[in-house]
Amino acid sequence: MRVLVAGGGISGTVTAMALKLAGHEPVVYEAYPAGGDDIGAFLTLMHNGMDALRAIGADRPVIDSSFAAYGVELVAPTGETVGRTGFDTESLDGPRTLTRATLYRVLQDEAAHRGVPLERGKRLVGAKAGEGGITAEFADGTTATGDVLVGADGLRSVVRRLIDPAADEPRYTGLTVVYGYTRAEGLPPAPGIYRMVRGSRAAFGFTTAPDGATFWFARIPDPERPREEIAAVTPAGWRDFAHAAFDGDPLPCADIIAATGDEVFGGHSYDVPETRVWSTPEMVLTGDAAHAASPAAGQGASMALEDSVVLAQCLRDLPDPPSAFAAYEGLRRERVEKLVKASAGGDVGEERGWVYAHHIDWDAKITA
């Protein structure tokens, strides 16, 4: 079966690799000429995300391009450490931290190594179903025809709207997230852990990479602003915005921000609490296109990876796309919507086993 995959990011490339392994013929269409959206951010793939990659043998390139995270320390506004949580790294390779740009590159390179075609500069604008399957239409005037179309095209998914023109818009979480990187010396180290700081006005987190670089992020309450205005903010503007949120707090946050050069990136945070319709007989959604979460739980990428592998299993084992899409939604909807709801509330709860312990057995047969 020829599968058109809209989006060459995390979910799109892994969906394509999993589909290839399942015996299908995927082709990935990426809107951007190079890289992708939100490439300035970094992320941590948690146990369940790494497990999904391991299910299709794609974990090693990610491990080789990232560094381990062994736990989290919680820091009060006074600077006192008030809690520690260690990650289980004994049974599986544990969580891995890397930039989003690096993850895109690694996954796209691995997909190419496996013979998955990826066409860049192909921004999807429409799709039409017919007797021969579905034809995707791109902004450059070209088209492509396949048996099904997978919408792995992110938060502002075109495929979501094609499936359901009345689909809700992404919801603003009330937070602007700023990411930064600095190699300045003399900053407090946090090797192998995330120090999560609750300031008087905003939240901050940082970790130290093996090469000594400090990776940091700030989640700052902020009124929603037009997308054009957000896109026009310079690195210096993001640095000043983040610094003002922690100025005067007895914490290292302001010092870390001040020591950062032009490697600062920011943007509003949105989620998609519910997507009423996940599929038609010819189209289906994965990852953020179906269920974007706020960054509080750190699970957006990992849940997308789970989707990718499970969807491929369903298309491998069930007799036709509608049956596969129904089974996929049945396996995924409750879990991801629970995660999105919990993340919107600020956390996934004290007991995170239901999130981290998720395991995918690639050889297990999916039934309707």
Side-chain angles (χ1 to χ4, degrees), residues 6 48 62 64 82 93 99 104 111 131 139 141 166 189 192 201 232-233 244 257 289 291 297 308 311 313 321 341:
N48 50 308
V62 173
D64 291 343
V82 295
D93 289 308
T99 67
Y104 283 2
E131 291 184 4
R201 297 178 295 276
V233 179
I257 296 168
H291 51 76
S308 299
L311 174 60
Q313 288 179 299
K341 182 178 180 180

Side-chain angles (χ1 to χ4, degrees), residues 186-242:
L187 298 175
I193 61 167
Y194 276 89
R195 287 183 63 80
M196 309 295 286
V197 182
R198 174 60 64 180
S200 60
R201 297 178 295 276
F204 188 88
F206 69 99
T207 188
T208 305
D211 67 358
T214 298
F215 286 39
W216 62 265
F217 66 87
R219 297 189 191 122
I220 304 167
D222 188 28
E224 187 174 16
R225 291 175 269 163
R227 293 175 67 185
E228 298 78 10
E229 180 180 335
I230 289 293
V233 179
T234 64
W238 284 123
R239 186 174 58 248
D240 292 346
F241 174 74

Side-chain angles (χ1 to χ4, degrees), residues 2-82:
R2 181 175 173 84
V3 183
L4 313 180
V5 181
I10 298 168
S11 183
T13 49
V14 175
T15 297
M17 284 191 278
L19 286 167
K20 181 85 171 179
L21 190 61
H24 296 300
E25 299 177 13
V27 183
V28 178
Y29 298 92
E30 167 57 39
Y32 292 88
D37 199 9
D38 196 27
I39 59 172
F42 65 90
L43 53 84
T44 298
L45 294 179
M46 297 303 295
H47 307 77
N48 50 308
M50 294 303 298
D51 175 83
L53 288 172
R54 190 175 298 105
I56 62 167
D59 54 321
R60 178 47 58 184
V62 173
I63 292 170
D64 291 343
S65 301
S66 61
F67 59 92
Y70 298 109
V72 171
E73 291 186 354
L74 304 179
V75 183
T78 60
E80 177 187 4
T81 299
V82 295

Side-chain angles (χ1 to χ4, degrees), residues 63-245:
I63 292 170
D64 291 343
S65 301
S66 61
F67 59 92
Y70 298 109
V72 171
E73 291 186 354
L74 304 179
V75 183
T78 60
E80 177 187 4
T81 299
V82 295
R84 291 183 176 86
T85 301
F87 297 143
D88 173 19
T89 59
E90 294 182 4
S91 56
L92 298 171
D93 289 308
R96 309 293 302 187
T97 296
L98 70 171
T99 67
R100 188 174 288 269
T102 298
L103 183 57
Y104 283 2
R105 175 182 56 77
V106 166
L107 293 177
Q108 290 173 358
D109 287 351
E110 180 65 15
H113 177 71
R114 297 181 181 209
V116 175
L118 188 152
E119 297 192 23
R120 299 184 183 277
K122 297 292 184 180
R123 183 173 296 277
L124 185 76
V125 294
K128 294 180 180 178
E131 291 184 4
I134 188 160
T135 298
E137 302 167 342
F138 303 103
D140 64 0
T142 60
T143 62
T145 299
D147 296 290
V148 296
L149 170 63
V150 176
D153 50 343
L155 180 72
R156 302 189 183 279
S157 169
V158 172
V159 181
R160 187 196 304 132
R161 283 288 183 187
L162 293 173
I163 289 174
D164 179 13
D168 292 338
E169 291 292 327
R171 178 180 67 179
Y172 181 49
T173 64
L175 296 173
T176 291
V177 183
V178 182
Y179 297 87
Y181 310 89
T182 177
R183 289 164 180 78
E185 298 180 355
L187 298 175
I193 61 167
Y194 276 89
R195 287 183 63 80
M196 309 295 286
V197 182
R198 174 60 64 180
S200 60
R201 297 178 295 276
F204 188 88
F206 69 99
T207 188
T208 305
D211 67 358
T214 298
F215 286 39
W216 62 265
F217 66 87
R219 297 189 191 122
I220 304 167
D222 188 28
E224 187 174 16
R225 291 175 269 163
R227 293 175 67 185
E228 298 78 10
E229 180 180 335
I230 289 293
V233 179
T234 64
W238 284 123
R239 186 174 58 248
D240 292 346
F241 174 74
H243 190 273

